[in-house]
Amino acid sequence: MITDPAIQTGFDVLSVRQQFPILNREVKGKPLVYLDNAATSQKPQVVIDALVDYYTRFNANIHRGIHTLAEEATAAYEATRDKTRDFIGASAREEIIFTRGTTEGINLVAYAWGRQNIKAGDEVIVSAMEHHSNIVPWQVLCEEKNAVLRVIPIDDNGELIFEEFTKLLNEKTKLVSVVHASNSLGTINPVKKIIEAAHKAGALVMIDGAQSSVHLNIDVRELDCDFFAFSAHKLYGPTGVGVLYGKKHILDSMNVFQGGGEMIREVCFEKTTFNDLPYKYEAGTPNIADVIAFGAALDFIDSIGKDLVRQHEEELLHYATNRLGEIPGLHIVGKAAKKVSLVSFRVENVHPQDLGILLDNRGIAVRTGHHCTQPVMDRFGIPGTTRASFAMYNTKEEIDALIAGLEKAIKVLA
Ligand code: PLP
């Protein structure tokens, strides 16, 4: 019997699962229970088919060709740009830059905008719950420019301390770059409030949307963020593709990032002029196949319905939080009032890595360690956590399997 109440509201998790071929496989002789979705999600058949279709029928370099294959490839690539614009509510397709992922999007801004706009004594603000991708590029920039990196502290529940943030804002603050949803705590940050306060202080705001883009509805115009970066592979799309959104007038005014083909208008040895947006930031042959397949992922998400998925994932989060709470000696790390569907936890006297290995022996994939957020682990005084993160295809039965696996593993290890 299917016990998932989301099904009663029109969300059919079993039919969703059927669209992900990998979910049929076994690991160590057990059905795969994939709970590592915050690292990367699995891909539906339509995304896999889009990749095969591109290479089978219309593989060609884009933009410059006049032959049929080049035109078809260009049309499909550019169609993903329009779908992405709609997906995040951007005003113009020129504001959508394809990158390799969130990391590259943040580095692009730190390099192209940062090197032009940050000077000695300026301040950049990040939070204590950032992924390393949203720390290191700013650290490098600040060191190079003799600028100062400030950090918004977090409380014991893993929530940003908003008053501390407002205290950090001043006339030297040039940029605030914060994560929308934490990959190690699950916390959903009040980014609209953060953006409003930063703008009042005269600073721009970059949002790391790596985790939020898959779980929350994103409207960059409503948020009024200046930059927003995310990765296709966390959105049921392929690896190697990401998106940087930037407000058009800011992207227009910025220096270039990488130089090469496609990003130029004219090149001569005396002077090079640059292409219009978005091509100014897409030097070289891009990841054509994967951008096209990302378009298929966006269509797929649309066809399922993000609101239904959200409801299903909230059910899973609630269920997992309650069931994990029943295990003696298990402590959830990250108890924010608003969370995306992931749970990080530690178990007294048990190393997360040992737990991960024993769970893998039962076909259960979780992530263990610092999750590229070492400052979060330092804040809580722990070496790492075990993290179960949920996607649209996960079920309560899989959470039951996780709990059973944990109980067995803890008996062996504790
Ligand atoms: N930011 C957050 C919050 C993430 O969770 C991740 C990946 O886990 C990243 C940034 C980096 O994303 P990518 O490795 O796709 O560039």
Side-chain angles (χ1 to χ4, degrees):
M1 198 182 72
I2 299 158
T3 51
D4 203 322
I7 290 173
Q8 285 141 36
T9 62
F11 182 80
D12 181 354
V13 72
L14 294 185
S15 92
V16 168
R17 289 179 69 79
Q18 279 163 8
Q19 305 191 52
F20 290 81
I22 206 169
L23 298 179
N24 293 325
R25 75 160 280 182
E26 293 193 339
V27 168
K28 314 259 164 84
K30 305 272 178 359
L32 168 67
V33 175
Y34 186 77
L35 302 177
D36 193 18
N37 296 286
T40 198
S41 61
Q42 297 302 345
K43 319 304 169 200
Q45 188 65 52
V46 282
V47 168
I48 301 165
D49 288 347
L51 283 171
V52 174
D53 191 43
Y54 167 75
Y55 284 119
T56 314
R57 295 199 310 112
F58 57 104
N59 170 46
N61 211 331
I62 53 169
H63 296 139
R64 288 171 295 265
I66 46 122
H67 59 80
T68 302
L69 263 55
E71 278 177 2
E72 287 178 8
T74 304
Y77 180 91
E78 291 301 329
T80 301
R81 203 184 303 277
D82 293 329
K83 288 173 193 175
T84 309
R85 177 202 55 206
D86 295 345
F87 185 72
I88 60 167
S91 356
R93 64 193 320 281
E94 290 79 8
E95 298 179 319
I96 305 298
I97 315 288
F98 289 122
T99 62
R100 280 195 306 123
T102 309
T103 304
E104 190 173 72
I106 297 170
N107 275 277
L108 192 162
V109 175
Y111 187 91
W113 179 88
R115 272 157 192 79
Q116 195 177 24
N117 291 286
I118 298 290
K119 52 184 192 328
D122 283 346
E123 297 184 4
V124 173
I125 299 179
V126 296
S127 83
M129 68 172 87
E130 299 308 320
H131 188 280
H132 298 163
S133 295
N134 197 28
I135 299 174
V136 183
W138 307 116
Q139 229 167 17
V140 171
L141 173 71
C142 288
E143 266 173 36
E144 198 178 304
K145 296 287 184 178
N146 266 322
V148 183
L149 189 66
R150 302 259 182 233
V151 183
I152 313 166
I154 56 180
D155 66 18
D156 291 342
N157 287 329
E159 293 187 330
L160 284 185
I161 307 175
F162 194 78
E163 309 84 77
E164 295 298 324
F165 165 58
T166 55
K167 281 188 212 157
L168 292 176
L169 286 169
N170 64 67
E171 70 289 350
K172 288 182 274 177
T173 314
K174 292 294 177 301
L175 183 94
V176 177
S177 190
V178 287
V179 71
H180 197 170
S182 157
N183 64 306
S184 53
L185 299 167
T187 312
I188 300 173
N189 283 320
V191 285
K192 195 161 163 55
K193 244 170 85 179
I194 291 173
I195 293 163
E196 271 168 17
H199 281 171
K200 260 194 203 137
L204 296 190
V205 183
M206 165 137 218
I207 301 296
D208 172 350
Q211 297 295 332
S212 62
S213 49
V214 63
H215 300 297
L216 310 177
N217 286 320
I218 306 297
D219 185 334
V220 288
R221 261 182 298 175
E222 216 253 318
L223 287 177
D224 198 27
C225 53
D226 301 290
F227 301 105
F228 189 97
F230 60 105
S231 304
H233 70 95
K234 302 200 196 265
L235 272 159
Y236 310 103
T239 54
V241 173
V243 174
L244 171 69
Y245 158 83
K247 282 183 184 162
K248 190 165 175 294
H249 71 277
I250 302 175
L251 291 175
D252 260 333
S253 71
M254 275 159 50
N255 274 342
V256 295
F257 177 42
Q258 293 176 332
E262 195 61 35
M263 52 76 75
I264 50 90
R265 190 189 306 280
E266 257 182 302
V267 179
C268 62
F269 282 112
E270 290 69 39
K271 185 171 171 56
T272 290
T273 51
F274 301 119
N275 205 343
D276 294 332
L277 291 174
Y279 312 109
K280 176 180 166 187
Y281 296 106
E282 291 182 8
T285 301
N287 191 348
I288 304 166
D290 293 289
V291 166
I292 293 170
F294 176 43
L298 292 175
D299 289 342
F300 171 77
I301 293 168
D302 248 9
S303 75
I304 306 286
K306 230 176 166 184
D307 290 337
L308 286 180
V309 171
R310 174 96 203 264
Q311 199 182 332
H312 173 66
E313 288 175 345
E314 277 184 358
E315 277 288 329
L316 294 177
L317 174 65
H318 188 67
Y319 185 69
T321 306
N322 285 342
R323 294 253 25 222
L324 288 166
E326 292 164 8
I327 299 181
L330 185 148
H331 303 278
I332 290 178
V333 182
K335 295 181 175 171
K338 288 188 181 166
K339 283 176 68 172
V340 290
S341 57
L342 65 86
V343 197
S344 256
F345 54 88
R346 63 184 182 83
V347 178
E348 284 165 21
N349 305 318
V350 175
H351 197 280
Q353 204 173 331
D354 296 333
L355 262 189
I357 291 167
L358 291 192
L359 288 173
D360 183 58
N361 286 340
R362 299 170 70 94
I364 302 167
V366 293
R367 184 137 300 234
T368 60
H370 55 60
H371 317 293
C372 292
T373 57
Q374 272 181 348
V376 171
M377 302 304 134
D378 293 345
R379 163 66 180 77
F380 287 96
I382 51 178
T385 69
T386 304
R387 180 187 72 189
S389 53
F390 311 112
M392 61 162 80
Y393 39 70
N394 289 124
T395 63
K396 287 185 177 172
E397 287 73 13
E398 289 181 308
I399 293 170
D400 291 338
L402 169 71
I403 302 296
L406 280 171
E407 282 169 343
K408 277 254 160 63
I410 291 167
K411 249 191 210 141
V412 174
L413 297 167

